[in-house]
């Protein structure tokens, strides 16, 4: 089983009627619902208002892949929690940054860059082209899929060069964006996925759900270290085996 934890700041859904209509129980519960359909995935959800954002050392040790949705209150995530998430990724936990999580503390720490974008919020169609058809995250997707209404994010995206690019998003205004980017940091795998603005029903889109399910399986740990260590070691004996006593 892949143990997934979904973090949502759970803010817009409480005061914005438009968002509440689309995600009455919160974005985290909508994502949890479709991930829970899978036999090999178990899901836990946490929010900003939980003690330590619900992301204690124990929870992270018991998480294979952490999904992150945040927008208005990135700054309210304690630095200690962001550092803990970053270290868990370096040890091997998978991390999926959704939409405005490009500016979240864990993601910017893991990237080391501004992660800035240009943006426009007027309901453009986004067409996401598969740039890497053999990639595990693109399986089940044809040459492209569409999100009927999405917030536009445009290049230049202030990220390091992705290790693998899976999707390029195109918008009606003619802009393009690296909408699906893969990274490795330490033992951990990271996927950034652009769609997911709160005033549109993006997480009800079957193609978006498919990509997130694929990404969870791709980001699941292969190897996890218990600690991040830097040990002093003795030289190994070298030469023909058996020539040393
Ligand atoms: Zn947005």
């Amino acid at each position: 089983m892949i143990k997934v934890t979904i973090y949502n700041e759970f803010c817009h859904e409480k005061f914005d009627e438009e968002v509440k209509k689309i995600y009455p129980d919160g974005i985290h519960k909508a994502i949890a619902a479709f991930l829970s359909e899978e036999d090999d995935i178990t899901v836990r959800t946490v929010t900003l208002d939980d003690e330590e954002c619900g992301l204690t050392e124990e929870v992270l040790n018991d998480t294979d892949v952490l999904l992150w949705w945040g927008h208005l209150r990135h700054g309210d995530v304690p630095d200690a929690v962001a550092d803990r998430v970053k270290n868990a990724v370096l040890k091997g936990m998978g991390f999926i940054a959704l939409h405005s999580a490009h500016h979240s503390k864990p993601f910017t720490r893991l990237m080391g860059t501004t992660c800035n974008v240009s943006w426009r919020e007027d309901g453009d169609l986004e067409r996401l082209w598969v740039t890497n058809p053999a990639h595990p995250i693109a399986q089940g997707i044809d040459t492209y899929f569409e999100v009927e209404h999405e917030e536009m994010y445009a290049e230049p995206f202030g990220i390091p060069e992705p290790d693998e690019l899976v999707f390029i998003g195109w918008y009606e205004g003619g802009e393009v964006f690296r909408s699906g980017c893969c990274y490795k940091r330490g033992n951990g795998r990271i996927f950034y996925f652009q769609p997911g603005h709160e005033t549109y029903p993006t997480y009800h889109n079957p193609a978006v759900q498919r990509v997130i399910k694929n990404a969870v399986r791709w980001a699941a740990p292969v190897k996890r270290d218990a600690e991040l260590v830097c040990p002093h070691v003795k030289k190994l004996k070298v030469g023909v085996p058996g020539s040393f006593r």
Side-chain angles (χ1 to χ4, degrees):
M1 296 296 277
I2 303 172
K3 296 181 201 172
V4 167
T5 299
I6 302 167
Y7 166 86
N8 177 18
E9 68 179 19
F10 197 24
C11 188
H12 292 277
E13 300 96 319
K14 290 178 180 165
F15 69 80
D16 186 326
E17 290 303 323
E18 199 183 350
V19 180
K20 218 186 274 185
K21 240 183 272 170
I22 303 169
Y23 300 113
D25 301 316
I27 286 172
H28 52 306
K29 293 296 183 190
I31 296 171
F34 68 76
L35 286 180
S36 299
E37 292 167 358
E38 303 300 296
D39 291 340
D40 58 340
I41 296 173
T42 59
V43 185
R44 156 206 286 134
T45 62
V46 298
T47 67
L48 177 66
D49 289 337
D50 293 333
E51 179 116 13
E52 297 185 63
C53 303
L55 298 171
T56 60
E57 201 74 58
E58 292 71 30
V59 168
L60 293 180
N61 286 339
D62 194 43
T63 298
D64 292 319
V65 182
L66 175 63
L67 278 67
W68 194 283
W69 199 100
H71 178 216
L72 291 178
R73 298 184 61 193
H74 291 315
D76 293 331
V77 173
D79 287 343
V81 170
D83 289 336
R84 193 182 295 153
V85 169
K86 175 186 168 183
N87 287 336
V89 173
L90 297 180
K91 291 177 190 173
M93 184 182 75
F95 184 74
I96 300 175
L98 297 168
H99 186 58
S100 39
H102 69 95
H103 267 162
S104 66
K105 285 187 181 180
F107 188 69
T108 54
R109 275 164 165 72
L110 286 159
M111 296 298 106
T113 54
T114 64
C115 302
N116 286 341
V117 305
S118 306
W119 59 280
R120 175 179 66 244
E121 192 188 329
D122 63 1
D124 285 45
L125 176 141
E126 181 179 6
R127 182 172 296 142
L128 292 101
W129 291 93
V130 175
T131 58
N132 196 338
H135 197 282
I137 296 177
Q139 298 316 296
I141 303 293
D142 205 353
T143 48
Y144 67 86
F145 70 96
E146 291 179 345
V147 178
E148 199 180 351
H149 301 291
E150 190 44 76
E151 183 176 14
M152 190 283 293
Y153 280 9
E155 297 285 344
F157 186 10
I159 45 171
E161 198 66 40
D163 297 335
E164 298 176 300
L165 184 65
V166 187
F167 300 108
I168 287 182
W170 169 92
Y171 302 86
E172 289 176 272
E175 298 89 353
V176 293
F177 190 69
R178 287 170 287 176
S179 287
C181 305
C182 297
Y183 295 91
K184 266 202 70 188
R185 291 289 185 271
N187 287 345
R189 291 178 170 189
I190 300 163
F191 182 57
Y192 172 77
F193 190 42
Q194 190 278 339
H197 186 66
E198 67 278 358
T199 57
Y200 309 121
T202 300
Y203 295 115
H204 299 313
N205 179 314
V208 168
Q209 295 182 0
R210 179 65 194 248
V211 169
I212 293 174
K213 289 174 183 179
N214 289 348
V216 163
R217 295 189 177 104
W218 171 83
V222 175
K223 173 181 164 46
R224 296 190 81 158
D225 288 331
E227 300 293 337
L228 300 172
V229 293
C230 187
H232 174 262
V233 293
K234 293 208 167 82
K235 188 196 285 182
L236 292 175
K237 290 178 176 175
V238 294
V240 180
S243 63
F244 292 95
R245 292 184 188 280

